[in-house]
Amino acid sequence: MREIEVNKITDEVARICIEANLELSNEMVSCINSAKDSEKNSLAKQILGQLQENMDIAKEDKIPICQDTGMAVFFVEIGQDVHITGGSLTDAINEGVRRGYTDGYLRKSVVKDPLIRENTKDNTPAIIHYDIVPGDSLKITVTPKGFGSENMSKLVMLKPADGIEGVKKVVIDAAKDAGPNACPPFVIGVGIGGDFELVAKLAKKALTREPGSHNETEYVADLEKELLETINSLDIGPAGLGGDTTALAVNIETYPTHIAGLPVAVNMCCHVDRHKTVIL
């Protein structure tokens, strides 16, 4: 049994909350650079250049890539041979969010009650998804999620007879409906299967995959490529002003489901697809 002290967890969570908001992954940066190089629309190419400049300024000046520093969402994989000592794991993560968003001067966007709307002033509580896995390590991934794109997401309970064409329609319609409101170019996370609540988690977790990676199931990988091509033909383009680059990636995750259902969730994300992982 390996012990991990909660103070170490808090320190690392605070660090990755700040870093995720200041700098995109190398894969995301490369994806945007490649999109600019291949973009044929002159205005779209100019906008992609502005996105590059914004990323460079954020990295150099250590300021957020986007003013909406999001609600902190975590995917936590806990090795079954790990023992957390010194307190609660959930409390340790929330304390890390509190410190990260306060010390990093990141915008606090969480309200205590969804209807009364009083700001918690420290961006807590976080949304935390736990999975128990083999091993003696603790893997923590944060994905700060802004709500300009989150608000354009969809969950649809299709009938099995709707099949793959029904799934395609849900994803494409979500991109069309999002238009400029979700700050394109998008990264689109798609969940297929499971049940009502799991399919949304699948779609959110899909956003933590790097662009250019594909689902290990061949037909799902082919579907990712087909949807990306179709969505990029919609001429929504960067900032919704037209062009070849409406989406940077379509990432799909699947799970077994009930014989009577075909749940589909589409989690829209802007080009600032932020995520950072630490393994303890």
Side-chain angles (χ1 to χ4, degrees):
M1 182 68 69
R2 177 166 171 254
E3 294 188 346
I4 301 177
E5 220 281 330
V6 292
N7 289 337
K8 175 65 173 174
I9 296 167
T10 292
D11 290 345
E12 290 299 304
V13 167
R15 177 181 66 82
I16 63 175
C17 280
I18 294 172
E19 291 181 2
N21 275 293
L22 305 190
E23 187 175 348
L24 292 183
S25 68
N26 291 332
E27 291 83 357
M28 281 302 307
V29 172
S30 296
C31 188
I32 293 172
N33 292 343
S34 296
K36 179 176 177 286
D37 291 342
S38 61
E39 179 61 61
K40 300 180 183 66
N41 181 298
S42 59
L43 178 57
K45 186 181 285 288
Q46 179 184 345
I47 294 168
L48 289 167
Q50 291 171 342
L51 299 184
Q52 288 176 319
E53 183 181 4
N54 178 65
M55 289 188 297
D56 292 341
I57 292 170
K59 181 178 179 180
E60 183 176 342
D61 293 352
K62 298 190 182 306
I63 56 177
I65 308 165
C66 176
Q67 49 84 23
D68 184 352
T69 52
M71 193 168 188
V73 180
F74 288 86
F75 291 95
V76 181
E77 295 182 8
I78 309 168
Q80 61 188 16
D81 297 321
V82 168
H83 178 56
I84 307 299
T85 63
S88 157
L89 175 55
T90 297
D91 289 347
I93 292 172
N94 277 312
E95 179 59 25
V97 172
R98 183 177 295 109
R99 291 186 196 173
Y101 275 76
T102 300
D103 297 347
Y105 300 99
L106 305 174
R107 194 181 83 181
K108 290 80 173 174
S109 302
V110 175
V111 294
K112 188 180 299 183
D113 183 282
L115 297 178
I116 296 174
R117 314 298 291 181
E118 178 189 356
N119 198 296
T120 64
K121 297 182 172 59
D122 58 11
N123 222 55
T124 66
I127 294 172
I128 310 171
H129 302 286
Y130 290 112
D131 285 305
I132 306 297
V133 298
D136 63 355
S137 63
L138 179 66
K139 181 179 179 181
I140 303 174
T141 298
V142 63
T143 176
K145 193 63 169 65
F147 265 55
S149 57
E150 189 78 354
N151 285 338
M152 303 309 298
S153 301
K154 286 188 173 183
L155 194 158
V156 181
M157 303 300 288
L158 295 178
K159 298 182 291 295
D162 292 321
I164 196 165
E165 293 304 318
V167 172
K168 291 179 189 177
K169 185 176 187 306
V170 169
V171 179
I172 294 166
D173 285 351
K176 288 179 179 177
D177 292 345
N181 296 319
C183 300
F186 313 126
V187 177
I188 303 175
V190 180
I192 307 172
D195 62 358
F196 182 83
E197 81 276 3
L198 179 60
V199 74
K201 178 183 173 182
L202 292 172
K204 180 63 62 66
K205 191 170 186 180
L207 293 176
T208 66
R209 272 178 38 204
E210 296 297 352
S213 65
H214 288 290
N215 192 290
E216 60 186 17
T217 302
E218 185 177 359
Y219 89 87
V220 180
D222 290 342
L223 181 58
E224 291 174 333
K225 296 170 188 174
E226 179 186 343
L227 284 169
L228 180 61
E229 182 177 348
T230 301
I231 290 167
N232 279 333
S233 70
L234 297 176
D235 196 36
I236 295 171
L241 297 174
D244 307 315
T245 316
T246 295
L248 298 168
V250 177
N251 295 342
I252 301 174
E253 296 296 327
T254 67
Y255 195 85
T257 191
H258 190 277
I259 56 172
L262 179 55
V264 181
V266 183
N267 198 196
M268 302 298 299
C269 187
C270 65
H271 68 279
V272 185
D273 182 10
R274 298 162 289 194
H275 45 270
K276 191 82 174 178
T277 296
V278 63
I279 299 175
L280 299 174

PDB file of all heavy atoms in Angstrom, residues 1-3 80-83 136:
ATOM      1  N   MET A   1       0.850  -1.201   0.000  1.00  0.00           N
ATOM      2  CA  MET A   1       0.000   0.000   0.000  1.00  0.00           C
ATOM      3  C   MET A   1       0.883   1.248   0.000  1.00  0.00           C
ATOM      4  O   MET A   1       1.759   1.396   0.850  1.00  0.00           O
ATOM      5  CB  MET A   1      -0.912  -0.009   1.234  1.00  0.00           C
ATOM      6  CG  MET A   1      -1.866   1.173   1.302  1.00  0.00           C
ATOM      7  SD  MET A   1      -3.129   1.171   0.027  1.00  0.00           S
ATOM      8  CE  MET A   1      -4.133  -0.241   0.534  1.00  0.00           C
ATOM      9  N   ARG A   2       0.660   2.135  -0.966  1.00  0.00           N
ATOM     10  CA  ARG A   2       1.431   3.376  -1.067  1.00  0.00           C
ATOM     11  C   ARG A   2       0.614   4.528  -0.510  1.00  0.00           C
ATOM     12  O   ARG A   2      -0.568   4.658  -0.827  1.00  0.00           O
ATOM     13  CB  ARG A   2       1.792   3.642  -2.524  1.00  0.00           C
ATOM     14  CG  ARG A   2       2.541   4.955  -2.752  1.00  0.00           C
ATOM     15  CD  ARG A   2       3.158   5.008  -4.128  1.00  0.00           C
ATOM     16  NE  ARG A   2       3.670   6.341  -4.386  1.00  0.00           N
ATOM     17  CZ  ARG A   2       3.108   7.231  -5.194  1.00  0.00           C
ATOM     18  NH1 ARG A   2       1.995   6.921  -5.846  1.00  0.00           N
ATOM     19  NH2 ARG A   2       3.640   8.419  -5.376  1.00  0.00           N
ATOM     20  N   GLU A   3       1.247   5.358   0.308  1.00  0.00           N
ATOM     21  CA  GLU A   3       0.546   6.492   0.907  1.00  0.00           C
ATOM     22  C   GLU A   3       0.882   7.783   0.169  1.00  0.00           C
ATOM     23  O   GLU A   3       2.036   8.029  -0.194  1.00  0.00           O
ATOM     24  CB  GLU A   3       0.927   6.623   2.391  1.00  0.00           C
ATOM     25  CG  GLU A   3       0.451   5.464   3.241  1.00  0.00           C
ATOM     26  CD  GLU A   3       0.672   5.695   4.717  1.00  0.00           C
ATOM     27  OE1 GLU A   3       1.430   6.638   5.072  1.00  0.00           O
ATOM     28  OE2 GLU A   3       0.097   4.948   5.528  1.00  0.00           O
ATOM     29  N   GLN A  80      -5.793   1.263  -6.886  1.00  0.00           N
ATOM     30  CA  GLN A  80      -6.434   0.562  -5.769  1.00  0.00           C
ATOM     31  C   GLN A  80      -5.449   0.265  -4.639  1.00  0.00           C
ATOM     32  O   GLN A  80      -5.867  -0.097  -3.525  1.00  0.00           O
ATOM     33  CB  GLN A  80      -7.080  -0.724  -6.268  1.00  0.00           C
ATOM     34  CG  GLN A  80      -6.125  -1.727  -6.886  1.00  0.00           C
ATOM     35  CD  GLN A  80      -6.878  -2.886  -7.541  1.00  0.00           C
ATOM     36  OE1 GLN A  80      -8.082  -2.803  -7.787  1.00  0.00           O
ATOM     37  NE2 GLN A  80      -6.167  -3.959  -7.822  1.00  0.00           N
ATOM     38  N   ASP A  81      -4.135   0.448  -4.902  1.00  0.00           N
ATOM     39  CA  ASP A  81      -3.131   0.249  -3.865  1.00  0.00           C
ATOM     40  C   ASP A  81      -2.635   1.573  -3.280  1.00  0.00           C
ATOM     41  O   ASP A  81      -1.562   1.630  -2.683  1.00  0.00           O
ATOM     42  CB  ASP A  81      -1.939  -0.535  -4.432  1.00  0.00           C
ATOM     43  CG  ASP A  81      -2.343  -1.935  -4.888  1.00  0.00           C
ATOM     44  OD1 ASP A  81      -3.169  -2.549  -4.188  1.00  0.00           O
ATOM     45  OD2 ASP A  81      -1.858  -2.385  -5.931  1.00  0.00           O
ATOM     46  N   VAL A  82      -3.422   2.627  -3.451  1.00  0.00           N
ATOM     47  CA  VAL A  82      -3.068   3.947  -2.901  1.00  0.00           C
ATOM     48  C   VAL A  82      -3.918   4.231  -1.663  1.00  0.00           C
ATOM     49  O   VAL A  82      -5.129   3.966  -1.655  1.00  0.00           O
ATOM     50  CB  VAL A  82      -3.302   5.057  -3.956  1.00  0.00           C
ATOM     51  CG1 VAL A  82      -3.228   6.438  -3.309  1.00  0.00           C
ATOM     52  CG2 VAL A  82      -2.277   4.954  -5.060  1.00  0.00           C
ATOM     53  N   HIS A  83      -3.277   4.784  -0.652  1.00  0.00           N
ATOM     54  CA  HIS A  83      -3.997   5.247   0.543  1.00  0.00           C
ATOM     55  C   HIS A  83      -3.744   6.738   0.703  1.00  0.00           C
ATOM     56  O   HIS A  83      -2.588   7.176   0.773  1.00  0.00           O
ATOM     57  CB  HIS A  83      -3.511   4.491   1.781  1.00  0.00           C
ATOM     58  CG  HIS A  83      -4.157   4.945   3.054  1.00  0.00           C
ATOM     59  ND1 HIS A  83      -5.524   4.960   3.237  1.00  0.00           N
ATOM     60  CD2 HIS A  83      -3.613   5.415   4.221  1.00  0.00           C
ATOM     61  CE1 HIS A  83      -5.808   5.405   4.444  1.00  0.00           C
ATOM     62  NE2 HIS A  83      -4.665   5.695   5.061  1.00  0.00           N
ATOM     63  N   ASP A 136      -0.563   1.727  -8.018  1.00  0.00           N
ATOM     64  CA  ASP A 136      -0.313   2.486  -6.794  1.00  0.00           C
ATOM     65  C   ASP A 136      -0.002   3.953  -7.093  1.00  0.00           C
ATOM     66  O   ASP A 136       0.804   4.581  -6.400  1.00  0.00           O
ATOM     67  CB  ASP A 136       0.833   1.852  -5.988  1.00  0.00           C
ATOM     68  CG  ASP A 136       2.158   1.879  -6.731  1.00  0.00           C
ATOM     69  OD1 ASP A 136       2.188   2.306  -7.915  1.00  0.00           O
ATOM     70  OD2 ASP A 136       3.189   1.495  -6.125  1.00  0.00           O
TER      71      ASP A 136
END
